[in-house]
Amino acid sequence: MKHRFGTAAGVAVLGISSLLVAGAPADAQARAARSLYVYEHDDYKGRSAHLTANDSNFVNNYWSGTGASINDNISSFKNQGDQRAVMYSDANYTGAAYSALAHSSDSDLTHNSHNPANFDNVASSVRFVI
Ligand SMILES: [Ca+2]
Ligand SMILES: [Ca+2]
Ligand SMILES: [Ca+2]
Protein backbone atom coordinates (compact mmCIF):
# COMPACT_ATOMS: atom_id res chain seq x y z
CA MET A 1 0.00 0.00 0.00
CA LYS A 2 2.68 2.42 1.07
CA HIS A 3 4.74 1.63 -2.01
CA ARG A 4 1.81 2.18 -4.33
CA PHE A 5 1.19 5.62 -2.89
CA GLY A 6 4.84 6.49 -3.46
CA THR A 7 4.58 5.43 -7.08
CA ALA A 8 1.44 7.46 -7.65
CA ALA A 9 3.11 10.58 -6.25
CA GLY A 10 6.15 10.00 -8.45
CA VAL A 11 3.96 9.78 -11.53
CA ALA A 12 2.12 12.96 -10.55
CA VAL A 13 5.38 14.87 -10.16
CA LEU A 14 6.61 13.54 -13.51
CA GLY A 15 3.38 14.67 -15.13
CA ILE A 16 3.78 18.23 -13.86
CA SER A 17 7.41 18.56 -14.90
CA SER A 18 6.78 17.19 -18.39
CA LEU A 19 3.93 19.69 -18.75
CA LEU A 20 6.36 22.49 -17.86
CA VAL A 21 8.94 21.21 -20.33
CA ALA A 22 6.36 20.79 -23.08
CA GLY A 23 5.65 24.49 -22.65
CA ALA A 24 3.87 25.86 -25.68
CA PRO A 25 0.34 24.43 -25.42
CA ALA A 26 0.08 25.04 -21.66
CA ASP A 27 1.46 28.57 -22.05
CA ALA A 28 -0.98 29.42 -24.81
CA GLN A 29 -3.83 28.19 -22.68
CA ALA A 30 -2.69 30.25 -19.71
CA ARG A 31 -2.45 33.36 -21.85
CA ALA A 32 -5.99 32.92 -23.14
CA ALA A 33 -7.30 32.42 -19.63
CA ARG A 34 -5.45 35.38 -18.14
CA SER A 35 -6.14 38.72 -19.76
CA LEU A 36 -6.48 41.78 -17.57
CA TYR A 37 -6.40 45.23 -19.17
CA VAL A 38 -5.76 48.03 -16.72
CA TYR A 39 -6.14 51.77 -17.28
CA GLU A 40 -4.65 54.87 -15.77
CA HIS A 41 -7.94 56.78 -15.47
CA ASP A 42 -11.64 56.09 -14.94
CA ASP A 43 -13.76 54.90 -17.88
CA TYR A 44 -10.85 52.95 -19.43
CA LYS A 45 -9.07 56.18 -20.34
CA GLY A 46 -5.49 57.29 -20.21
CA ARG A 47 -2.64 54.87 -20.67
CA SER A 48 -3.21 51.12 -20.52
CA ALA A 49 -1.35 47.90 -19.80
CA HIS A 50 -2.08 44.21 -20.35
CA LEU A 51 -1.43 41.75 -17.53
CA THR A 52 -1.35 38.05 -18.47
CA ALA A 53 0.48 36.45 -15.54
CA ASN A 54 0.73 36.60 -11.78
CA ASP A 55 2.85 39.57 -10.79
CA SER A 56 4.06 40.18 -7.25
CA ASN A 57 5.13 43.79 -7.74
CA PHE A 58 3.90 46.40 -10.21
CA VAL A 59 6.91 48.66 -9.67
CA ASN A 60 8.53 47.27 -12.84
CA ASN A 61 5.34 47.13 -14.93
CA TYR A 62 4.80 50.07 -17.26
CA TRP A 63 1.97 51.67 -19.16
CA SER A 64 2.29 50.42 -22.74
CA GLY A 65 4.97 52.24 -24.66
CA THR A 66 6.15 54.25 -21.68
CA GLY A 67 8.60 54.06 -18.82
CA ALA A 68 5.91 55.04 -16.31
CA SER A 69 4.99 52.44 -13.71
CA ILE A 70 1.41 51.28 -13.30
CA ASN A 71 2.00 50.85 -9.57
CA ASP A 72 -0.53 52.75 -7.45
CA ASN A 73 -2.05 54.24 -10.58
CA ILE A 74 -4.73 51.82 -11.86
CA SER A 75 -8.19 53.45 -11.91
CA SER A 76 -10.29 51.11 -14.09
CA PHE A 77 -9.96 47.66 -15.66
CA LYS A 78 -11.43 45.11 -18.05
CA ASN A 79 -10.88 41.47 -17.20
CA GLN A 80 -11.31 39.71 -20.53
CA GLY A 81 -9.89 36.40 -19.35
CA ASP A 82 -11.48 33.23 -18.05
CA GLN A 83 -9.82 33.55 -14.65
CA ARG A 84 -10.62 35.80 -11.72
CA ALA A 85 -7.90 38.39 -11.15
CA VAL A 86 -7.27 39.34 -7.53
CA MET A 87 -5.49 42.66 -7.23
CA TYR A 88 -3.78 43.58 -3.98
CA SER A 89 -3.04 46.98 -2.52
CA ASP A 90 0.49 45.92 -1.57
CA ALA A 91 3.26 43.95 -3.26
CA ASN A 92 3.58 40.19 -2.79
CA TYR A 93 -0.19 39.63 -2.76
CA THR A 94 -0.75 41.39 0.55
CA GLY A 95 -2.90 44.24 1.83
CA ALA A 96 -6.48 44.86 0.73
CA ALA A 97 -7.72 42.55 -2.03
CA TYR A 98 -10.00 43.44 -4.92
CA SER A 99 -11.52 40.50 -6.77
CA ALA A 100 -12.07 41.13 -10.48
CA LEU A 101 -14.37 38.40 -11.76
CA ALA A 102 -13.69 36.71 -15.10
CA HIS A 103 -15.21 38.69 -17.97
CA SER A 104 -15.97 41.70 -15.81
CA SER A 105 -15.03 45.35 -15.87
CA ASP A 106 -15.05 48.30 -13.50
CA SER A 107 -14.99 51.81 -14.92
CA ASP A 108 -14.25 53.48 -11.58
CA LEU A 109 -12.32 51.82 -8.78
CA THR A 110 -13.22 54.62 -6.36
CA HIS A 111 -16.67 53.35 -5.37
CA ASN A 112 -17.19 49.63 -4.88
CA SER A 113 -19.83 47.60 -3.08
CA HIS A 114 -18.44 44.04 -2.97
CA ASN A 115 -14.78 44.95 -2.74
CA PRO A 116 -12.69 47.46 -0.81
CA ALA A 117 -14.71 50.70 -0.94
CA ASN A 118 -11.89 52.65 -2.53
CA PHE A 119 -9.36 50.80 -4.65
CA ASP A 120 -8.34 53.72 -6.83
CA ASN A 121 -4.60 54.08 -7.43
CA VAL A 122 -3.56 51.41 -4.95
CA ALA A 123 -3.07 48.11 -6.83
CA SER A 124 0.48 46.79 -6.50
CA SER A 125 0.24 43.06 -7.36
CA VAL A 126 -2.13 40.61 -9.05
CA ARG A 127 -2.78 36.91 -8.83
CA PHE A 128 -5.00 34.96 -11.19
CA VAL A 129 -7.24 32.25 -9.76
CA ILE A 130 -9.68 29.85 -11.36
CA1 LIG B 1 6.18 43.29 -11.79
CA1 LIG C 1 -5.05 56.48 -11.86
CA1 LIG D 1 -0.14 49.94 -3.51
Side-chain angles (χ1 to χ4, degrees):
M1 214 42 187
K2 207 173 177 185
H3 177 70
R4 284 177 61 192
F5 270 111
T7 305
V11 168
V13 168
L14 247 176
I16 289 164
S17 51
S18 58
L19 246 181
L20 290 175
V21 172
D27 282 358
Q29 212 168 23
R31 270 195 293 275
R34 301 172 173 187
S35 180
L36 180 69
Y37 287 90
V38 293
Y39 302 85
E40 181 180 18
H41 302 313
D42 290 348
D43 300 319
Y44 323 114
K45 294 191 172 131
R47 294 174 288 189
S48 66
H50 191 199
L51 296 162
T52 58
N54 293 343
D55 200 306
S56 64
N57 196 332
F58 286 166
V59 162
N60 62 350
N61 294 70
Y62 307 103
W63 297 118
S64 292
T66 78
S69 173
I70 70 173
N71 190 50
D72 293 339
N73 203 359
I74 296 170
S75 294
S76 59
F77 73 83
K78 292 178 183 173
N79 184 3
Q80 301 190 341
D82 300 322
Q83 290 186 11
R84 191 156 54 93
V86 182
M87 288 179 274
Y88 296 85
S89 61
D90 297 333
N92 300 312
Y93 320 118
T94 59
Y98 180 109
S99 179
L101 299 179
H103 304 287
S104 75
S105 58
D106 191 331
S107 63
D108 181 357
L109 286 169
T110 307
H111 305 290
N112 314 298
S113 51
H114 301 294
N115 272 301
N118 187 346
F119 208 70
D120 192 38
N121 298 326
V122 300
S124 291
S125 56
V126 67
R127 180 144 59 189
F128 291 87
V129 292
I130 293 172

